[in-house]
Amino acid sequence: MIIETDGFSDNNPFRIARKQLDEAAAVMNLAPASHEILRWPLRELHVSMPVKMDDGTTRIFHGFRVQYNDARGPNKGGIRFHPDETIDTVRALAAWMTWKTAVLDLPLCGGKGGVICDPKSMSSGELERLSRAYIRQIGRILGIDKDVPAPDVYTTPQIMAWMADEYSFMQGNNEFGVFTGKPIALGGSAGRTDATARGGIYCVRDAAKVIGMNLAGKKAAIQGYGNAGYYAHKLAVELLGMKVVAVSDSKGGIHNPDGLDYLAVIAHKQASGSVKNFPGSTAISNKDLLELDIDILFPAALESVITSTNAANIKARIVAELANGPTTPEADNILYHNGVYVIPDFLCNAGGVTVSYFEMVQNTYGFYWDEEEIHKLLDKKMTAAFLKVHETAEVYHVHNRLAACIVAIERVVEAMKLRGWV
């Protein structure tokens, strides 16, 4: 087993991604050459972008695109606009995307992009100019057979449309298939909007079956009320008959033990900018929400919110990770020994990339499935992946994240061997 010597801080997401890899490599007795190549991105691009602001000034923005491993196919992964974006966050997310596509057995591998900016403080025109500037810088390494981006934190279908248009202009012809998560009018897929949450809900359904839990009437809490959090609320109620008693966003949280109506909560958030002060609820902090006495916990915000400090206080029977990297390796072991069934991020939130893959296929063939067909295909993919991870966890007597890593690494290494890389 390779020992960490790179000086990363404990909650550095790339340290966490590497530690997860190292633990799986030790269980698998992975060959040193295969292990080492998987510890680093194959390539990464750092870019600087001058953008004209509405006040006439020019600001210089900085961004990244990481292509972690393309042994199984083109790189695939989102683009994040966030004021706290770092290269190590992007590296970690690209690694997790590599495992995610392999766990779902998609013919893709992992990439990720990010721009350091505060999109909430920028106008639509500024965001468009930034989006186009970013593509002018990274477009040379994109392509349907190279790297296909998608939306992520604080990026939207509209931003994907601007990026796809800029890339098409650079190529001299329409190349909309190089971006997924697009509006339907530009070749987007039906069923993409709620795909991340829907895939997670399918996993919760399957997890409840294997642990013998009847989900009807069970209580859930959701940390993070963006796209994934909102649709997790909606689908947990509609598909599973659950009761969502607490939700939160970056400004605070709300709690009502009798349940929260998702239509009323999202209307309140759209009107006020936050779920805070929702009528009929009491305030709750993001920290306290995680430790509520509930059945299902959905971390749907950012990284490293469940740590060695609070993992022992998690009372949920199932933790369904819709966010990327919400649980640290130290917390994983605590949750496992406490009998908490964790559905790891690169399985639980893989519905988004799976429907993005369906979008790539539809763009290539020029033939589009309806939403019902997309849901059926997604359900089949998510269930097969869940059962493979659950089976591997039982065979190796390890927690689910380690099992998911093992499944993914075996598939990536097989491709590397066949291609003569190791």
Side-chain angles (χ1 to χ4, degrees), residues 270-291:
Q270 289 170 344
S272 68
S274 173
V275 300
K276 281 177 61 178
N277 302 317
F278 177 70
S281 70
T282 57
I284 187 171
S285 68
N286 273 287
K287 175 183 178 298
D288 290 341
L289 179 146
L290 294 172
E291 300 176 10

Side-chain angles (χ1 to χ4, degrees), residues 302-320:
L302 294 174
E303 304 85 15
S304 301
V305 296
I306 302 176
T307 68
S308 59
T309 302
N310 64 357
N313 300 326
I314 301 296
K315 301 177 184 67
R317 183 78 187 281
I318 296 173
V319 173

Side-chain angles (χ1 to χ4, degrees), residues 2-77:
I2 295 174
I3 305 298
E4 287 286 358
T5 58
D6 302 283
F8 297 119
S9 64
D10 286 350
N11 287 336
N12 179 294
F14 193 43
R15 182 202 75 91
I16 292 170
R18 281 181 151 196
K19 186 166 184 178
Q20 293 164 352
L21 167 66
D22 292 346
E23 289 177 356
V27 173
M28 301 166 63
N29 196 26
L30 187 63
S34 297
H35 188 181
E36 181 62 23
I37 198 171
L38 291 176
R39 296 183 86 242
W40 288 101
L42 289 183
R43 65 190 70 86
E44 56 187 47
L45 182 62
H46 297 229
V47 299
S48 298
M49 299 153 287
V51 175
K52 187 77 75 177
M53 309 303 285
D54 289 347
D55 64 4
T57 62
T58 297
R59 284 184 56 191
I60 309 301
F61 292 88
H62 302 279
F64 321 97
R65 185 68 185 178
V66 173
Q67 297 174 339
Y68 201 85
N69 186 294
D70 54 13
R72 285 173 50 87
N75 296 281
K76 184 82 188 75

Side-chain angles (χ1 to χ4, degrees), residues 43 54 59 63 117 121 170 186 193 224 226 237 295 307 329 354 390:
R43 65 190 70 86
D54 289 347
R59 284 184 56 191
C117 68
S121 69
M170 292 166 63
L186 296 183
T193 302
V237 173
D295 303 289
T307 68
T354 303
H390 180 75

